[in-house]
Amino acid sequence: MRSGTAAAAIGAGATVVVIAAAYIQSASDSNPALNAALSVSVPAKYQKLIEDAGHTCSDISPNLLAALITQESGFNPRAKSPVGAKGIAQFMPSTWNNGAGIDGDGDGKANIWNPKDAIPSAGKHLCDIASQVKDVPGNKQNNILAAYNAGAGAVKQYHGVPPYRETQNYVRSISALAGQPNKGGKAGTSVTAQQAATAVNAAQVMLGKPYSWGGGSTSGPSTGTCCSPRGFSGENITGFDCSGLTLYAFEKVGIILPRTAAAQYAASEPVKPEDMQIGDLVFYGSTASNIHHVGIYVGGGYMIDAPRPGTKVRFSPLDSMRDLFGVARPVHSSTKEI
């Protein structure tokens, strides 16, 4: 949780799924995320805390709170950002000490590092913010999340979600995660929503890294090889190609994908377009054997990818290439090859 403006750096411990700002859209005030049962993947030891704190007031839900904490810290109680946000809910100490922090477990002290205090505090703080921005026009949930990230003053000033890229991304990503069911999580099956968020976060940290033909590994950006079909060499460029970026991102959740885009499609579970979720892989080509490009879906019609020589890791519209072949979800155990 950050106060002030969106100029504050994103915390290193936070799991922030970045969504293209241009695709922030106003939804109806009856957003299903506010009414849905808990479906975001939550560690078992925190589930009751999330359920209880998510019912602090009628303006929030367990799903919304779970999505927020997934994005803030990935449920890491020791998370600490470079700007000083601390704990599982990433409170700034000044915010915590000015009344946001509460003694959730009744041990006589409000400890920013203790999830039993921090999670109830996050629920209460969301409700306090909801009261502060209740008269702001637009989508109520979006305004609450925007105020949690950028401050209620900014939301009031701009009469809704402020035009800060970080804040717009923050609102869209948490809303998307809160509103989608958890369809994975079992051994040998596709990733959970939380794992997908972690993978996307790993990829978005690499925004701006140069394209390098054959570049990228599970360790990060690397020099590539020679040469692409059009003669471009990555031998002197440290960065990623499209499948190197996805290989790196999903290694962060324990999934080792094959090196090429076509092999990554073969090692993933195809999904219908209408079932596409954040973190799914988007493939381009005319057949399964000649897939030439892959990106990671981030919502709102966008993916994060390393497009081609001469570009950098960036957000691209799904229709930036005309030969969309299919969408697939990485799985934990597959040796299938083309």
Side-chain angles (χ1 to χ4, degrees):
M1 192 280 297
R2 299 160 186 86
S3 59
T5 70
I10 293 175
T15 304
V16 182
V17 182
V18 177
I19 310 298
Y23 276 75
I24 299 296
Q25 298 176 352
S26 295
S28 69
D29 283 341
S30 58
N31 192 307
L34 289 175
N35 303 312
L38 182 61
S39 61
V40 177
S41 179
V42 175
K45 60 184 175 180
Y46 301 132
Q47 286 180 0
K48 187 175 188 307
L49 286 168
I50 290 292
E51 289 278 7
D52 291 345
H55 289 106
T56 302
C57 66
S58 61
D59 291 314
I60 68 172
S61 72
N63 238 27
L64 184 65
L65 182 59
L68 182 143
I69 291 179
T70 295
Q71 312 298 48
E72 288 286 357
S73 70
F75 283 94
N76 175 10
R78 306 308 299 173
K80 183 176 181 180
S81 82
V83 296
K86 297 179 179 181
I88 199 166
Q90 289 291 277
F91 275 101
M92 294 296 290
S94 58
T95 303
W96 181 268
N97 294 328
N98 286 333
I102 62 174
D103 176 17
D105 61 0
D107 67 355
K109 57 183 178 181
N111 184 351
I112 198 170
W113 298 108
N114 183 356
K116 294 180 180 179
D117 294 339
I119 291 175
S121 295
K124 175 182 177 295
H125 192 53
L126 279 173
C127 292
D128 290 344
I129 287 173
S131 178
Q132 295 173 39
V133 299
K134 63 182 176 62
D135 295 326
V136 176
N139 179 269
K140 182 183 296 184
Q141 177 182 299
N142 288 354
N143 290 341
I144 293 170
L145 292 173
Y148 194 92
N149 177 260
V155 174
K156 292 177 181 179
Q157 177 184 352
Y158 289 101
H159 306 289
V161 179
Y164 307 147
R165 182 179 179 87
E166 179 196 323
T167 301
Q168 293 181 336
N169 293 338
Y170 185 89
V171 171
R172 180 63 178 89
S173 62
I174 293 177
S175 295
L177 183 57
Q180 68 183 23
N182 175 15
K183 298 182 179 179
K186 296 180 180 179
T189 61
S190 53
V191 298
T192 66
Q194 181 178 338
Q195 290 171 321
T198 300
V200 175
N201 180 63
Q204 67 92 18
V205 169
M206 297 300 164
L207 286 168
K209 295 293 183 183
Y211 182 97
S212 175
W213 176 263
S217 69
T218 56
S219 300
S222 66
T223 54
T225 60
C226 185
C227 287
S228 76
R230 295 188 178 183
F232 292 98
S233 174
E235 292 176 306
N236 297 315
I237 302 173
T238 300
F240 294 93
D241 65 10
C242 64
S243 55
L245 179 65
T246 54
L247 176 73
Y248 168 76
F250 279 93
E251 190 276 340
K252 300 305 176 186
V253 294
I255 296 178
I256 305 301
L257 293 170
R259 185 58 183 81
T260 67
Q264 288 180 4
Y265 179 77
S268 301
E269 178 186 5
V271 298
K272 297 178 180 179
E274 59 267 26
D275 294 331
M276 184 162 54
Q277 299 178 15
I278 291 172
D280 286 347
L281 297 178
V282 187
F283 295 92
Y284 296 81
S286 58
T287 68
S289 61
N290 74 356
I291 288 171
H292 62 84
H293 187 67
V294 60
I296 306 174
Y297 180 61
V298 296
Y302 272 71
M303 62 182 168
I304 184 170
D305 68 336
R308 58 185 175 275
T311 64
K312 299 178 179 181
V313 176
R314 68 187 189 190
F315 295 111
S316 300
L318 295 183
D319 61 2
S320 60
M321 297 182 183
R322 297 182 179 180
D323 56 345
L324 176 63
F325 178 78
V327 180
R329 192 162 298 149
V331 295
H332 284 277
S333 58
S334 175
T335 56
K336 180 182 176 183
E337 292 284 352
I338 293 175

